[in-house]
């Protein structure tokens, strides 16, 4: 595990982690000095391209935007989303993660869901990987709408266990999206790795915002 990742993990329980998205060099260069983490999120599909779903975002799109962002990042940890259908199995995940890192020089990749074999494959190959649980946009049925997950005792227990499994598989951090604040607080207390919230209350180790939302 490289020093940048180690230093990032050490922020847990010491200082709040500041995170924003970026999709270009110009924005990255502005926010870099203020952030601990910059994410090139597949949210660029809706933010920049007006896609109805992040499922339409391609690997090439993520790579090109990440190459631009990399030019503006000097200090922050740079993480890139692996887009839909690029990590369906361990081999595919490893091949595409290697491609992203070699072409963009990012520090880590992020994937959605409890993809434990994929996380283990990446981590064992020395590729830092961030997990993402709760609401996962790449798998959502847009017709069913967007809703908070983990409200029932059974669902909350499942999400907590997913987080524990993701940590055990080798992830260095996990995003918690659209889950109750009480559950996010419990997860944050029980994990040794940082939690980054998206609509998950104030007790995560950090929050991440789309920079356009932050800027208003």
């Amino acid at each position: 595990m490289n020093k940048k990742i180690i230093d990032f993990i050490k922020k847990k329980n010491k200082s709040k982690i500041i995170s924003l998205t970026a999709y270009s060099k110009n924005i990255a260069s502005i926010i870099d000095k203020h952030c601990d983490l910059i994410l090139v999120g597949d949210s660029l599909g809706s933010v920049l391209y007006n896609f109805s779903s992040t499922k339409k975002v391609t690997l090439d799109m993520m790579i090109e935007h990440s190459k631009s962002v990399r030019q503006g990042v000097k200090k922050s940890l740079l993480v890139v989303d692996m887009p839909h259908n690029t990590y369906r199995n361990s081999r595919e995940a490893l091949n595409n993660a290697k491609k992203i890192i070699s072409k963009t020089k990012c520090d880590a990749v992020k994937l959605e869901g409890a993809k434990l074999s994929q996380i283990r494959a990446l981590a064992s190959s020395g590729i830092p990987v961030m997990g993402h649980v709760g609401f996962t946009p790449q798998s959502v049925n847009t017709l069913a709408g967007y809703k908070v997950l983990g409200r029932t005792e059974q669902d909350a227990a499942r999400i907590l266990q997913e987080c524990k499994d993701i940590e055990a598989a080798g992830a260095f951090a996990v995003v918690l999206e659209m889950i109750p604040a009480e559950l996010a607080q419990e997860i944050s207390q029980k994990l040794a790795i940082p939690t980054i919230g998206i609509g998950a209350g104030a007790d995560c180790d950090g929050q991440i915002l789309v920079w356009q939302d932050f800027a208003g």
Side-chain angles (χ1 to χ4, degrees):
M1 192 176 292
N2 67 44
K3 185 178 184 300
K4 230 176 177 182
I5 299 293
I6 293 172
D7 289 344
F8 184 83
I9 295 173
K10 285 181 178 178
K11 290 181 180 294
K12 186 176 180 71
N13 298 326
K14 291 185 178 179
S15 62
K16 285 294 185 180
I17 293 169
I18 300 170
S19 310
L20 288 169
T21 64
Y23 315 116
S24 66
K25 173 187 175 181
N26 290 345
I27 295 302
S29 63
I30 293 170
I31 67 175
D32 179 51
K33 63 179 71 72
H34 305 291
C35 289
D36 301 304
L37 164 69
I38 290 178
L39 173 69
V40 185
D42 59 3
S43 51
L44 63 85
S46 57
V47 174
L48 301 182
Y49 294 95
N50 201 31
F51 291 164
S52 60
S53 166
T54 59
K55 294 178 182 180
K56 297 180 181 181
V57 176
T58 67
L59 186 64
D60 286 342
M61 289 169 65
M62 292 302 302
I63 287 173
E64 290 307 309
H65 282 280
S66 300
K67 285 162 64 177
S68 176
V69 171
R70 174 78 273 176
Q71 295 178 58
V73 174
K74 307 300 180 187
K75 176 185 74 70
S76 304
L77 187 72
L78 178 58
V79 180
V80 175
D81 265 341
M82 296 190 71
H84 182 60
N85 281 346
T86 62
Y87 50 96
R88 289 166 290 190
N89 54 61
S90 297
R91 176 175 292 184
E92 182 178 58
L94 189 55
N95 288 340
N96 285 325
K98 286 180 177 178
K99 184 176 181 180
I100 290 171
I101 288 177
S102 67
K103 288 183 176 293
T104 70
K105 311 304 179 188
C106 68
D107 300 302
V109 296
K110 180 172 77 66
L111 51 78
E112 294 183 6
K115 303 293 194 297
L116 303 183
S117 62
Q118 290 92 322
I119 292 171
R120 281 192 289 266
L122 296 182
S124 64
S125 297
I127 297 174
V129 55
M130 177 180 283
H132 184 150
V133 302
F135 179 80
T136 50
Q138 291 178 12
S139 58
V140 69
N141 178 352
T142 53
L143 295 178
Y146 297 77
K147 60 182 180 180
V148 174
L149 300 178
R151 291 192 185 278
T152 68
E153 185 176 337
Q154 182 178 11
D155 204 21
R158 175 187 60 79
I159 292 172
L160 173 59
Q161 188 59 53
E162 285 181 353
C163 290
K164 291 179 177 179
D165 291 342
I166 285 170
E167 178 179 35
F172 73 90
V174 61
V175 169
L176 309 177
E177 182 165 2
M178 287 178 65
I179 65 173
E182 297 81 4
L183 176 58
Q185 181 183 39
E186 181 182 6
I187 292 169
S188 299
Q189 290 172 345
K190 291 186 175 179
L191 296 188
I193 59 175
T195 58
I196 310 297
I198 303 175
D203 292 308
C204 295
D205 297 298
Q207 305 290 330
I208 188 163
L209 292 173
V210 173
W211 81 262
Q212 286 92 338
D213 293 337
F214 170 76

